[in-house]
Amino acid sequence: MTDFAGVIRTLVDAGIDFIIVGGVAGTVHGSARLTRDVDVVYARSPENMRRLVDALAPHNPYLRGAPVGLPFQWDLNTIQRGLNFTLTTRLGDLDLLGELTGGGGFAQLREHASSVRVFDRDVQVLDLDWLIRVKRAAGRPRDLEAIAELEALREERDQH
């Protein structure tokens, strides 16, 4: 079970530049769908990656779904050489995305995000229109299923 508040507070309190995307972003916009992880797009600057490594290290990040015992070292070299990481941690599941299909990286998505108060922290959350866009681009069955609800939420928003 993911400690959503713990994940978000850990990232914010460490000063990490990130945007919430995926199921948690949908929930912020009013979706009733359940999610099991926190998906974020993170800035790939050297300083931000260092903060990310330091913030998550105490929570034992490991590649989600990888066989037990697979060598994996959570450090700056790992994150610099990778891009997207699906991790399991003591706080729960966290997807760290350097780029988002159909949306780009942090710099491109920042202009399509807004600040929202979540678990007593101000965080950047991808806006509803772009959330729909990236879910459509991902094309996974679960994303395509979520689009109908997100479009209904957008329609409701636009009527008010």
Side-chain angles (χ1 to χ4, degrees), residues 149-160:
E149 181 192 25
L150 295 173
E151 287 177 335
L153 289 167
R154 179 174 59 190
E155 186 176 313
E156 183 180 316
R157 176 201 69 194
D158 292 347
Q159 290 175 354
H160 292 100

Side-chain angles (χ1 to χ4, degrees), residues 39-106:
D39 302 314
V40 302
V41 173
Y42 65 97
R44 300 262 314 153
S45 69
E47 303 82 24
N48 199 59
M49 289 189 290
R50 166 54 61 203
R51 287 190 297 266
L52 191 53
V53 166
D54 292 344
L56 292 181
H59 303 289
N60 297 341
Y62 192 73
L63 295 173
R64 190 166 63 244
V68 175
L70 179 77
F72 177 73
Q73 188 168 344
W74 179 249
D75 60 17
L76 190 56
N77 284 334
T78 297
I79 198 169
Q80 287 173 328
R81 292 181 180 170
L83 183 64
N84 296 337
F85 299 89
T86 56
L87 301 173
T88 187
T89 73
R90 277 196 249 173
L91 295 171
D93 292 344
L94 172 63
D95 292 357
L96 297 175
L97 308 169
E99 290 183 357
L100 192 58
T101 301
F106 180 84

